[in-house]
Amino acid sequence: MKNLFSVILIFFVASSLIIPTGSKEILQKMHNQYVGKWYKTLSFNQTTEVYHNDSLVKSQIWYEHIKFPANFRIDFGNPDNGNAVIFKNDSSFSFKSAVKANVQPYKDDLLFLLGGMYFYEFNTVLSKMKSFGYNLDKYHEDNWKGRSVYVIGAKLNEDSVNQLWIDKEKLYIVRMIKFEEKFKEEALFENQVKSGEGYTETQVHFFINNKLVQVEKYHDIKANISIEENIFNPENFVKLKL
């Protein structure tokens, strides 16, 4: 029995001490760290600042609810107005005054990257990462704002490809760069706080072609709370009750 316990202990210690030699190993290390531990639900409100030509043009409070791995809802302004968007699986459903206004295909890679990935088998994680345009044969280590990071999808000084920057110690994402047609999109995830057994960024900066377009600041963050499934039902829209 003692020998069996030793073998099991060595197995688990070894799996947590994976030394990354590439993007796949980094993802495996992240997956091992948080699968089965990451919070299942999250709610928060955010101050959303919209910028144009480096000037603030609009500020609004949004209310957000997440149920991993594939349910996400944003209410814009006062929830009583019924202006919202529901992301479910690979589609987005927009509502204006509680009436469905638009439906379109939408792969919410952020929902996946910022927690959803820990609710899938690892082979599915690899497939989804490739579908999002990350070259898992490329990888390097770097520094970001005074901390050591892993970089998935890019070699050193390779700036024009999709890439994720991941805090080496905490294994959460701190920077994302991706290219869609002629647009370079960049997101900086900052001021992370512990939420359940995972982490939540509390400030995000979004850039398009190196120009600041949006800043989000999160407040009243609650992890692993009860969230009614019906708020994510696009076929029977219900107004959010705060």
Side-chain angles (χ1 to χ4, degrees):
M1 182 64 70
K2 182 178 179 181
N3 289 339
L4 176 61
F5 175 77
S6 298
V7 170
I8 293 173
L9 179 61
I10 290 171
F11 171 80
F12 279 106
V13 170
S15 67
S16 66
L17 295 178
I18 291 174
I19 300 175
T21 57
S23 290
K24 294 177 183 178
E25 287 78 14
I26 295 168
L27 290 169
Q28 181 74 75
K29 189 176 179 72
M30 295 170 68
H31 200 259
N32 288 355
Q33 176 71 21
Y34 293 117
V35 69
K37 301 177 183 177
W38 199 266
Y39 47 85
K40 297 178 175 62
T41 63
L42 188 73
S43 73
F44 57 93
N45 61 68
Q46 71 179 49
T47 303
T48 307
E49 300 174 345
V50 179
Y51 288 79
H52 181 68
N53 291 332
D54 298 321
S55 296
L56 178 65
V57 296
K58 182 181 180 181
S59 181
Q60 189 179 43
I61 302 297
W62 294 359
Y63 299 87
E64 310 206 7
H65 290 75
I66 297 170
K67 194 168 187 177
F68 289 114
N71 293 300
F72 180 27
R73 170 170 169 158
I74 305 174
D75 285 80
F76 306 104
N78 188 337
D80 287 339
N81 295 331
N83 299 324
V85 60
I86 296 173
F87 301 95
K88 193 173 184 67
N89 299 322
D90 289 327
S91 299
S92 68
F93 305 82
S94 299
F95 294 83
K96 187 173 179 60
S97 300
V99 177
K100 190 183 296 182
N102 187 34
V103 181
Q104 60 184 6
Y106 186 85
K107 290 185 177 181
D108 195 341
D109 54 340
L110 282 184
L111 184 63
F112 177 81
L113 296 171
L114 297 177
M117 64 182 288
Y118 304 117
F119 295 82
Y120 293 97
E121 296 291 335
F122 184 64
N123 285 339
T124 301
V125 172
L126 294 180
S127 297
K128 283 184 172 289
M129 290 294 294
K130 292 176 183 177
S131 74
F132 293 144
Y134 295 99
N135 186 339
L136 300 186
D137 293 325
K138 295 181 179 182
Y139 139 88
H140 72 275
E141 296 187 21
D142 214 314
N143 288 284
W144 179 251
K145 298 190 175 184
R147 293 183 64 85
S148 298
V149 295
Y150 298 122
V151 182
I152 286 176
K155 297 179 181 178
L156 185 64
N157 297 323
E158 191 174 23
D159 299 324
S160 58
V161 296
N162 292 1
Q163 54 195 276
L164 292 174
W165 293 48
I166 297 155
D167 187 274
K168 194 172 182 179
E169 178 189 359
K170 303 296 186 181
L171 298 177
Y172 51 60
I173 296 171
V174 296
R175 187 186 190 197
M176 179 190 73
I177 299 174
K178 67 177 183 178
F179 294 83
E180 298 283 347
E181 298 179 351
K182 297 180 180 180
F183 296 99
K184 174 188 176 183
E185 301 178 26
E186 182 175 4
L188 308 182
F189 306 98
E190 301 171 312
N191 301 340
Q192 280 83 358
V193 297
K194 196 76 182 290
S195 296
E197 294 300 315
Y199 286 88
T200 306
E201 63 284 351
T202 61
Q203 182 169 277
V204 185
H205 287 72
F206 290 100
F207 300 83
I208 298 293
N209 294 335
N210 301 316
K211 285 284 190 179
L212 180 66
V213 295
Q214 188 162 298
V215 177
E216 300 178 354
K217 300 173 184 178
Y218 301 169
H219 316 282
D220 195 24
I221 298 168
K222 298 175 183 176
N224 281 328
I225 63 169
S226 177
I227 298 180
E228 295 294 334
E229 188 75 30
N230 64 351
I231 73 166
F232 303 109
N233 184 356
E235 304 307 322
N236 184 28
F237 184 83
V238 294
K239 290 185 178 182
L240 189 67
K241 296 179 181 179
L242 297 181

